[in-house]
Amino acid sequence: MGEKVEELEYQSGFGNHFSSEAIAGALPHGQNSPLVCPYGLYAEQISGTSFTSPRKLNQRSWLYRIKPSVTHEPFKPRVPAHEKLVSEFDGSNSRTNPTQLRWRPVDIPDSPTDFVDGLFTICGAGSSFLRHGFAIHMYAANKGMEDCALCNADGDFLLVPQSGRLWIETECGRLLVSPGEIAVIPQGFRFSIGLPDGKSRGYVAEVFGTHFQLPDLGPIGANGLAAARDFLAPTAWFEDGLRPSYTIIQKFGGELFTAKQDFSPFNVVAWHGNYVPYKYGLQKFCPYNTVLIDHGDPSINTVLTAPTDKPGVALLDFVIFPPRWLVAEHTFRPPYYHRNCMSEFMGLIYGSYEAKVGGFVPGGASLHNCMTPHGPDTTTYEATIARANEMVPSKITDTMAFMFESSLIPRVCNWALESPVLDHDYYQCWIGLKSHFSRLGIDDEVTDDGVHKQGKAL
């Protein structure tokens, strides 16, 4: 059975300094940590950047809560351990692989499985301890988290539900996230996920040592792509009273630890700051595209980026391929064949992807690693070429594909390479590509032994 959900109010904007109070007058005025806060609340700050980060990059929020988050028993390793969650990609749990890889959708388990137990890592690079890298996970769950909350000390989570809504309780308030929307839970926030539809499946990107932000627009100018106003932050909401036993699950270095406490962590009555969970509806994205000839780079579809210190090079970009018009003339409109210094992990939320006709389905995934060639399958290529003389404006509809793109080379987890949903025949989608090379107009010579010699153009 699904869980009942209620209408929620949100605050609009990306990177704004928000303030919200569930009880009027709960926010202190004049200073952040007065000797006695209104209503006897505790003041607590959560910092997403170093204290001395430049002002324009500094992220932190003040929370005013009934009891502080420090009030819990010592952390202990979670039993049983989660053996398919990784934040250290050192080769002991994962392997390099340049082959084009594709996975079919995983089945949602029959046995009771919440978001934490249904989360598993596909690939990643770097180290959460070294504060540089990323991990890509998927999840499949059939029940909400009960009397427990997850806190990711390793990095930000970007959640992309593909099937089934997510009811996310956070310390700043609640988010209802449907397929076609995304949510970001910044590093360190405690959150719990319920499943209003009873089951859910989707994708998760995690970044270490940095945070997601809106990409610079460059020559595009002031408008386009994802607008700051369309990102929604929660409003303050809190739970009061004691709980017989509440569990905090801490993700730390890819391992899970648990601590017991006697109250809900969602006891924040008021808060203010610019370090908050948020959500975004992908249908609000304003795509840009070529309007005469040739094919735009996928970077023009970037929703969020987690940058590195090198300008223009991303630790991880979140890129979407939404419904849009195709109008380029004398142009091969599907994605062209290419090799890329970036590594590309793709998923499909709904519909079909324009470059893959059959094998890439909603809930599935593919990985084309650094400099591994890829592009449209044989069927797509042949169908496109056959319509070369009928090139008219056309619209891609009813689709939402996405890509996690990184400058790092991910290792693939052992279980992902050994998974029963790994498509071992993926390479076959290109094997049928044939030569269309024509020597018409060339003065050729064929020797007696059948060897072709190219002559001069007539």
Side-chain angles (χ1 to χ4, degrees), residues 121-442:
T121 310
I122 298 293
C123 62
S127 165
S128 61
F129 287 108
L130 298 179
R131 312 307 306 138
H132 183 68
F134 71 94
I136 294 174
H137 318 281
M138 297 180 72
Y139 72 89
N142 58 20
K143 80 180 190 73
M145 297 169 60
E146 298 176 356
D147 294 321
C148 66
L150 177 63
C151 176
N152 183 7
D154 294 334
D156 287 10
F157 269 160
L158 190 160
L159 307 175
V160 186
Q162 180 271 319
S163 174
R165 294 172 296 170
L166 302 178
W167 177 259
I168 308 176
E169 295 179 347
T170 79
E171 291 171 278
C172 289
R174 299 168 294 175
L175 299 168
L176 179 61
V177 185
S178 302
E181 297 180 315
I182 61 169
V184 172
I185 310 296
Q187 177 190 9
F189 273 96
R190 296 176 175 181
F191 66 98
S192 183
I193 292 183
L195 305 180
D197 303 319
K199 297 180 179 181
S200 185
R201 178 175 62 197
Y203 313 83
V204 181
E206 180 182 14
V207 293
F208 313 136
T210 187
H211 298 293
F212 289 104
Q213 63 185 51
L214 291 175
D216 291 331
L217 294 179
I220 291 176
N223 305 299
L225 308 190
R229 68 175 184 177
D230 292 326
F231 288 80
L232 303 177
T235 56
W237 169 87
F238 69 95
E239 292 181 335
D240 194 5
L242 298 177
R243 295 283 191 95
S245 179
Y246 200 99
T247 302
I248 302 299
I249 305 171
Q250 188 94 340
K251 180 177 176 294
F252 191 87
E255 299 181 36
L256 298 184
F257 299 81
T258 60
K260 297 290 186 180
Q261 61 186 48
D262 61 359
F263 63 97
S264 166
F266 310 120
N267 65 349
V268 176
V269 181
W271 60 270
H272 73 87
N274 63 351
Y275 191 55
V276 297
Y278 56 87
K279 76 168 193 171
Y280 174 74
L282 300 179
Q283 72 282 355
K284 296 182 179 179
F285 187 80
C286 178
Y288 273 61
N289 215 332
T290 180
V291 294
L292 187 60
I293 59 170
D294 227 328
H295 193 290
D297 297 324
S299 51
I300 60 173
N301 289 327
T302 301
V303 180
L304 292 170
T305 183
T308 64
D309 293 335
K310 187 175 181 180
V313 178
L315 177 67
L316 194 82
D317 280 338
F318 175 59
V319 180
I320 65 171
F321 304 96
R324 61 201 184 278
W325 280 96
L326 301 180
V327 298
E329 301 174 355
H330 310 295
T331 297
F332 185 78
R333 291 177 178 174
Y336 44 81
Y337 296 101
H338 65 290
R339 290 171 291 170
N340 193 352
C341 63
M342 306 285 277
S343 299
E344 303 176 3
F345 179 95
M346 285 197 65
L348 184 59
I349 301 172
Y350 56 81
S352 61
Y353 177 55
E354 60 186 297
K356 298 291 190 300
V357 176
F360 190 50
V361 296
S366 68
L367 175 64
H368 302 137
N369 225 321
C370 172
M371 288 302 175
T372 293
H374 54 285
D377 59 21
T378 302
T379 303
T380 301
Y381 183 86
E382 295 295 341
T384 303
I385 294 300
R387 297 192 303 268
N389 296 326
E390 306 171 4
M391 195 63 71
V392 296
S394 62
K395 188 176 183 180
I396 297 176
T397 59
D398 301 322
T399 183
M400 189 63 73
F402 72 88
M403 180 167 65
F404 298 139
E405 185 178 61
S406 175
S407 61
L408 304 185
I409 300 176
R411 295 178 184 269
V412 185
C413 292
N414 295 334
W415 48 82
L417 291 172
E418 299 162 2
S419 170
V421 299
L422 179 65
D423 184 356
H424 294 281
D425 294 326
Y426 182 29
Y427 73 97
Q428 293 281 0
C429 77
W430 294 290
I431 293 299
L433 289 168
K434 59 186 179 182
S435 172
H436 291 269
F437 179 65
S438 172
R439 298 185 176 93
L440 292 177
I442 300 293

Side-chain angles (χ1 to χ4, degrees), residues 14-28:
F14 188 95
N16 290 358
H17 187 104
F18 295 107
S19 63
S20 185
E21 53 186 13
I23 299 177
L27 277 173

Side-chain angles (χ1 to χ4, degrees), residues 36-104:
V36 178
C37 293
Y39 299 103
L41 298 171
Y42 288 87
E44 179 177 298
Q45 182 178 262
I46 180 168
S47 298
T49 56
S50 64
F51 297 140
T52 53
S53 291
R55 182 185 291 267
K56 66 179 182 179
L57 301 176
N58 206 296
Q59 297 187 45
R60 59 91 177 96
S61 287
W62 282 91
L63 314 178
Y64 301 94
R65 56 196 320 151
I66 297 170
K67 291 184 71 173
S69 59
V70 70
T71 312
H72 59 77
E73 298 176 3
F75 281 104
K76 300 177 181 179
R78 186 174 185 254
V79 178
H82 196 316
E83 297 180 350
K84 290 189 176 182
L85 205 56
V86 178
S87 291
E88 305 301 307
F89 297 91
D90 55 10
S92 62
N93 48 27
S94 52
R95 292 173 264 171
T96 55
N97 193 318
T99 300
Q100 302 94 340
L101 299 174
R102 183 165 69 186
W103 293 268
R104 296 180 294 273

